[in-house]
Amino acid sequence: RKEVEQDPGPFNVPEGATVAFNCTYSNSASQSFFWYRQDCRKEPKLLMSVYSSGNEDGRFTAQLNRASQYISLLIRDSKLSDSATYLCVVNDPGTYKYIFGTGTRLKVLA
Amino acid sequence: ETGVTQSPTHLIKTRGQQVTLRCSSQSGHNTVSWYQQALGQGPQFIFQYYREEENGRGNFPPRFSGLQFPNYSSELNVNALELDDSALYLCASSPSQGGFEQYFGPGTRLTVT
């Protein structure tokens, strides 16, 4: 089993739609979780950290489910500018490694 | 912008050569991580430096090495370049070790021919 797994997509959704991505992780001791957004041939940009209680930033909501070892990202009212690859990241507390998933591609269609 | 800078932007090298990539961390950050990102893949963790010491390493051979300087800027050195080393190399800085948010520089695109 991969340390961090994401559905690669692509997810093609119309503008205004709600879309959700999941990311599973294998190390139950992991403590820090993040979502990054990456545009084509650019560096990853931090979208949000994921806290145990869940957190929301405008149209974006992140959740953590420790029992099932996954994190999720929900995007409401999708915009064309949301088209990108979304990367989930898990920090390994024992080795300081940050482990990225392969990313989920989102394309928002007009 | 994150304040993390990398140089050079692009680089073309020949198999067997050596390369040094540079990164300046965001002001106030003492931890730098390096990543290799191949096309269509997520970034792969190479190693992390915290206060000039390597404190975490991914599955990369010893020909990948690094340094961190007293001002927390960092270098990634790759010896004996192979064709598979062609990738985007990303540097990320964070306020400290231990699972903090990371902020990435624009990357160096390395092509090995």
Side-chain angles (χ1 to χ4, degrees):
Chain A
R1 181 182 174 185
K2 284 187 181 178
E3 293 177 286
V4 177
E5 282 196 87
Q6 293 183 255
D7 181 342
F11 284 56
N12 295 321
V13 303
E15 264 187 299
T18 295
V19 62
F21 310 132
N22 282 343
C23 167
T24 59
Y25 60 95
S26 62
N27 186 350
S28 60
S30 299
Q31 295 292 325
S32 301
F33 308 89
F34 309 93
W35 284 102
Y36 281 78
R37 171 202 167 115
Q38 186 171 29
D39 293 291
C40 189
R41 300 179 75 81
K42 298 283 193 178
E43 74 273 23
K45 292 190 188 297
L46 179 67
L47 187 62
M48 56 203 309
S49 303
V50 187
Y51 303 120
S52 296
S53 55
N55 46 306
E56 187 174 311
D57 183 2
R59 299 181 293 110
F60 298 84
T61 300
Q63 297 278 351
L64 167 63
N65 185 316
R66 286 195 183 276
S68 301
Q69 291 182 213
Y70 74 86
I71 62 172
S72 63
L73 178 68
L74 181 79
I75 306 175
R76 290 181 297 278
D77 188 22
S78 298
K79 312 287 185 194
L80 294 176
S81 57
D82 294 333
S83 298
T85 296
Y86 290 83
L87 296 158
C88 85
V89 187
V90 177
N91 180 250
D92 180 339
T95 65
Y96 298 115
K97 285 171 59 175
Y98 288 82
I99 305 162
F100 279 73
T102 53
T104 297
R105 282 182 54 207
L106 171 66
K107 189 166 185 179
V108 181
L109 307 170
Chain B
E1 297 299 325
T2 63
V4 181
T5 61
Q6 291 187 244
S7 63
T9 309
H10 296 88
L11 203 51
I12 300 175
K13 289 286 192 177
T14 303
R15 193 171 48 184
Q17 286 188 314
Q18 177 265 343
V19 68
T20 297
L21 311 181
R22 294 180 175 82
C23 169
S24 290
S25 60
Q26 187 170 320
S27 177
H29 287 189
N30 58 23
T31 303
V32 171
S33 300
W34 285 92
Y35 294 84
Q36 179 194 69
Q37 187 174 24
L39 211 57
Q41 301 294 317
Q44 297 294 308
F45 179 84
I46 303 175
F47 41 55
Q48 179 179 96
Y49 278 85
Y50 168 67
R51 293 187 173 181
E52 303 179 60
E53 297 283 332
E54 183 184 300
N55 72 344
R57 191 176 181 94
N59 296 326
F60 282 82
R63 59 190 185 84
F64 286 78
S65 63
L67 282 174
Q68 187 178 32
F69 300 99
N71 67 354
Y72 304 129
S73 65
S74 178
E75 284 183 357
L76 164 65
N77 299 292
V78 188
N79 292 323
L81 283 167
E82 301 176 0
L83 297 178
D84 284 349
D85 295 334
S86 295
L88 178 67
Y89 287 84
L90 295 158
C91 155
S93 78
S94 53
S96 188
Q97 63 179 351
F100 288 87
E101 297 166 348
Q102 295 190 305
Y103 298 89
F104 283 83
T108 294
R109 192 162 298 279
L110 173 66
T111 303
V112 182
T113 61

